[in-house]
Amino acid sequence: LTAVIMLHFVGLGLGDHRDITLRGLEAVKSCTKVFLDMYTSILGVSTERLEEAFGCKITIADRELVESQADLILESAKDDNVAFLVVGDPFGATTHTDLVLRAKQLGIPVNVVHNASIMNAVGCCGLQLYNYGQTVSIPYFTANWKPYSFLDKLIINKKAGMHTLCLLDIKVKEISEENLCRGRNIYEPPRFMSVNEALEQMMEAADARDCADVLSRETPVVGLARVGQETQFVAYGTVAELLEVNFGPPLHCLVVPGETHELELDMLRSFAPGAAPAAQ
């Protein structure tokens, strides 16, 4: 890995500093500069713990750096080995695909080291991965912006009998609309959507779109928290039941099951609120 100067995209997995692969760690140790994506997801340990484990200084890559100042990363990779660390898998966000493409266009060699992501680790709830349809993202609603378009994909998946993975919004280093209009770079506290918040918004959207046949308070759903971490928590029940469950700290996601067979149902029932320990 040290013979050729290149840009390494290294997946960190979902848990902590121990989840990086041997290939990934080897790539990181060969680099003079290491960036960490901290806005598309979060890891279960601090940046300082990663630095201690990997033996290097890590520069936080926030939204502004990755989306607006990516040239800084690419310019660094022209002369030195550079690592871009991603929670989960490097191709879990379109932003990272764009970075890879731009690096190739500049003639910068690229090395990708894959790892587990929520896209495959969601299988822990017992629903078979090959029975999932399109993944949807649930954004935070605002007073002036309440997009219900995620329901379209949910309806398509439901009609096809497919499960739907719902990824929940993350707000890190965001500027409020008021401060943005006033030109003030004042950042809001980080926010991570909970399963409960997502279900409330999904019910609001379903009521507005009059599609109770697709999603109602009696619809069975699966809530997941901190998948891949030691405090991983999964709960299965109706929307009404899961609204009463405390899923604990982030990150959360949820699944709306499609058609299920007996093995899937047996696994789901093992996560019913009465059958699973409470979130830690």
Side-chain angles (χ1 to χ4, degrees):
L1 289 175
T2 56
V4 179
I5 291 175
M6 61 175 60
L7 177 57
H8 302 271
F9 289 84
V10 180
L12 297 179
L14 298 170
D16 55 32
H17 57 286
R18 298 169 296 177
D19 287 349
I20 191 171
T21 65
L22 291 176
R23 281 187 60 228
L25 185 58
E26 184 182 48
V28 171
K29 288 183 176 295
S30 75
C31 295
T32 56
K33 293 184 180 180
V34 179
F35 296 88
L36 171 63
D37 171 4
M38 280 290 283
Y39 86 91
T40 60
S41 189
I42 58 170
L43 208 58
V45 291
S46 67
T47 304
E48 291 73 23
R49 186 67 186 92
L50 292 181
E51 290 178 330
E52 180 184 342
F54 300 165
C56 64
K57 175 66 178 176
I58 295 176
T59 300
I60 299 300
D62 57 20
R63 179 187 291 273
E64 183 179 0
L65 176 60
V66 177
E67 294 188 346
S68 304
Q69 303 176 30
D71 290 341
L72 296 177
I73 299 173
L74 297 173
E75 283 298 319
S76 299
K78 289 181 178 180
D79 302 312
D80 295 295
N81 272 330
V82 173
F84 188 79
L85 310 182
V86 179
V87 178
D89 186 82
F91 289 123
T94 54
T95 299
H96 308 142
T97 304
D98 178 65
L99 264 180
V100 170
L101 184 59
R102 292 175 63 181
K104 289 184 176 182
Q105 291 170 342
L106 291 172
I108 300 171
V110 170
N111 172 48
V112 178
V113 183
H114 296 284
N115 210 318
S117 79
I118 191 60
M119 301 299 288
N120 64 296
V122 71
C124 68
C125 73
L127 295 173
Q128 298 301 306
L129 293 178
Y130 50 77
N131 287 335
Y132 278 80
Q134 299 181 73
T135 298
V136 304
S137 297
I138 312 295
Y140 272 115
F141 289 172
T142 68
N144 303 316
W145 187 68
K146 295 186 177 184
Y148 299 154
S149 54
F150 60 84
L151 280 176
D152 298 330
K153 290 184 179 180
L154 180 57
I155 291 171
I156 291 172
N157 290 346
K158 272 282 191 177
K159 288 182 177 179
M162 310 299 283
H163 313 313
T164 303
L165 170 62
C166 304
L167 302 179
L168 311 187
D169 204 358
I170 296 174
K171 297 290 188 185
V172 178
K173 205 173 181 182
E174 296 275 342
I175 301 176
S176 68
E177 292 180 7
E178 179 184 352
N179 285 327
L180 198 59
C181 291
R182 295 176 180 270
R184 299 184 301 203
N185 288 329
I186 301 174
Y187 299 106
E188 297 292 299
R191 296 172 65 199
F192 305 96
M193 184 180 288
S194 68
V195 168
N196 316 78
E197 290 173 313
L199 289 174
E200 291 282 7
Q201 290 193 177
M202 292 171 74
M203 289 310 305
E204 178 182 337
D207 291 341
R209 292 276 294 269
D210 193 24
C211 53
D213 57 324
V214 175
L215 189 68
S216 73
R217 292 180 64 84
E218 300 309 312
T219 300
V221 290
V222 188
L224 304 96
R226 301 171 303 285
V227 172
Q229 300 182 23
E230 292 180 351
T231 59
Q232 174 175 303
F233 176 70
V234 182
Y236 168 71
T238 65
V239 169
E241 289 171 334
L242 292 202
L243 280 170
E244 303 301 320
V245 174
N246 174 18
F247 285 86
L251 290 171
H252 296 185
C253 65
L254 63 90
V255 177
V256 181
E259 296 177 4
T260 53
H261 57 67
E262 275 305 310
L263 182 61
E264 290 178 306
L265 282 173
D266 286 344
M267 276 292 287
L268 289 176
R269 292 181 186 122
S270 73
F271 297 117
Q280 299 181 22

